[in-house]
Amino acid sequence: MNLQKIIQTIKEFDTIIIHRHIRPDPDALGSQAGLKEMIKHSFPEKQVYVVGEDDPSFTFLVKMDQIDDALYKDALVIVCDTANTARISDDRYDLGKQIIKIDHHPNVDIYGDLQWVDPTYSSTSEMICQLFTDAKTVGFQLNDAAARLLYAGIVGDTGRFLFPNTTTRTFQFASELVTYEFDRPALYAGIYNMADKIARLSGYMLQHFERSSSGMSMVKLTKEVLDMYDIAPSETGQLVGVLGDIEGIKAWALFIEEADMIRVRLRSKGPTINGIASKYNGGGHPLASGATVYTWEEADLLIADLEKACIAF
Ligand SMILES: [Mn+2]
């Protein structure tokens, strides 16, 4: 494992630019900005930046820095929570002197000069907590801002400590993080409160989902449905878990029709689904993945594969 080497490298550089994946979730942002806050707090003389597109639903958590290309010249680039280079937000990531990859997705695309990739962690934010623990003796310190961001990331990727990726280690780090001062109810509200129209669309999903006797379930949000609720495809991120509490469902797919493709969000309570995701232009974790199909016929092929996985499980 490269963790000690990574800690040393962070100490050596004066300029550090931290990236994460496109269409960020709380873990991408929490690990990215939590690491920034921790480094800034521990080593105030260092210049540390976070880059990538701002997502309006998460600007309450953190806002990105706007930086000049020239800053990359002598910089260390750290990429958090991003399995492959195609998904890195802000393609200037390769302008730096060195690249470090820190991620908990299966290591398919091995990029960077140093990698620390470990799918046994619930989240990349949990990995940053581990990094902090291992780096305490060489001057790393946490503060309230960093703790809030890392906690948000862990909460996001574990579904509020619900998913099986939640371990004793996750709870240990979470209990350490809540010793810092931040507003937990406000954080939960920011992540989970939904607009009326999103709540109503979740009602549509509960009325119209289909399921098979194998435990496979799916629901299609066509353009017509999205228009009916006045919802853009990008606003559906909160809805993937809606089918998760229905008795007997083992794995489910949420199809969201966009202008030129159909986005697929896949979740499972047992059957491995990232193989199916990679067959359909995607990837991810064994129990949480994403894919893309281009026609409803192709969507039906994916549904058939998901059905097979549920039968085999
Ligand atoms: Mn993650």
Side-chain angles (χ1 to χ4, degrees), residues 101-120:
K101 175 187 186 184
I102 301 178
D103 187 30
H104 70 128
H105 298 84
N107 203 7
V108 183
D109 179 3
I110 301 165
Y111 64 84
D113 303 290
L114 285 170
Q115 299 104 20
W116 178 33
V117 176
D118 191 340
T120 69

Side-chain angles (χ1 to χ4, degrees), residues 33-307:
L35 180 59
K36 172 190 167 174
E37 292 297 336
M38 178 168 76
I39 298 171
K40 284 291 297 176
H41 178 66
S42 313
F43 309 102
E45 71 284 2
K46 289 189 193 293
Q47 300 298 313
V48 193
Y49 305 99
V50 287
V51 297
E53 88 274 27
D54 266 315
D55 182 326
S57 42
F58 292 124
T59 43
F60 79 91
L61 212 51
V62 59
K63 285 199 185 69
M64 295 296 110
D65 299 312
Q66 307 301 325
I67 63 166
D68 215 74
D69 292 3
L71 276 172
Y72 278 87
K73 193 171 154 291
D74 295 308
L76 169 66
V77 170
I78 304 177
V79 184
C80 289
D81 199 42
T82 311
N84 54 319
T85 52
R87 277 177 56 76
I88 300 175
S89 185
D90 196 331
D91 52 20
R92 295 179 294 176
Y93 70 88
D94 58 358
L95 298 180
K97 252 195 168 162
Q98 267 195 59
I99 300 176
I100 294 175
K101 175 187 186 184
I102 301 178
D103 187 30
H104 70 128
H105 298 84
N107 203 7
V108 183
D109 179 3
I110 301 165
Y111 64 84
D113 303 290
L114 285 170
Q115 299 104 20
W116 178 33
V117 176
D118 191 340
T120 69
Y121 284 85
S122 69
S123 50
T124 304
S125 298
E126 186 181 321
M127 297 176 77
I128 302 301
C129 292
Q130 184 69 59
L131 186 150
F132 163 65
T133 304
D134 287 29
K136 270 179 195 168
T137 51
V138 290
F140 282 67
Q141 292 169 5
L142 223 48
N143 63 357
D144 296 343
R148 170 179 176 268
L149 288 156
L150 296 173
Y151 188 80
I154 292 173
V155 161
D157 264 24
T158 61
R160 290 175 267 189
F161 308 102
L162 174 70
F163 305 147
N165 61 1
T166 311
T167 64
T168 52
R169 178 176 59 197
T170 315
F171 283 115
Q172 272 158 15
F173 285 137
S175 73
E176 193 175 334
L177 292 174
V178 298
T179 63
Y180 291 85
E181 200 64 39
F182 62 91
D183 188 342
R184 256 185 291 156
L187 199 57
Y188 283 110
I191 300 174
Y192 294 104
N193 279 7
M194 49 172 82
D196 287 11
K197 61 179 185 176
I198 304 286
R200 293 184 199 285
L201 180 59
S202 79
Y204 172 92
M205 290 171 60
L206 290 167
Q207 294 283 348
H208 293 90
F209 73 92
E210 293 174 35
R211 65 173 298 171
S212 69
S213 55
S214 71
M216 191 283 297
S217 180
M218 62 92 187
V219 61
K220 294 174 177 172
L221 300 181
T222 61
K223 196 177 175 310
E224 292 71 44
V225 172
L226 292 170
D227 286 349
M228 191 160 74
Y229 288 88
D230 187 29
I231 286 168
S234 60
E235 297 176 294
T236 58
Q238 286 181 311
L239 295 171
V240 66
V242 165
L243 302 181
D245 287 328
I246 299 165
E247 199 170 357
I249 288 181
K250 291 184 204 159
W252 66 98
L254 172 59
F255 294 91
I256 302 131
E257 186 174 10
E258 301 199 5
D260 48 359
M261 59 156 135
I262 301 165
R263 194 172 299 289
V264 193
R265 298 181 189 274
L266 290 164
R267 293 293 184 272
S268 172
K269 293 191 160 177
T272 302
I273 51 171
N274 50 351
I276 296 172
S278 43
K279 185 173 166 188
Y280 295 93
N281 317 300
H285 304 280
L287 304 180
S289 292
T292 302
V293 294
Y294 294 93
T295 62
W296 288 111
E297 291 71 37
E298 205 187 347
D300 290 336
L301 294 174
L302 188 155
I303 292 166
D305 283 334
L306 192 61
E307 171 81 18

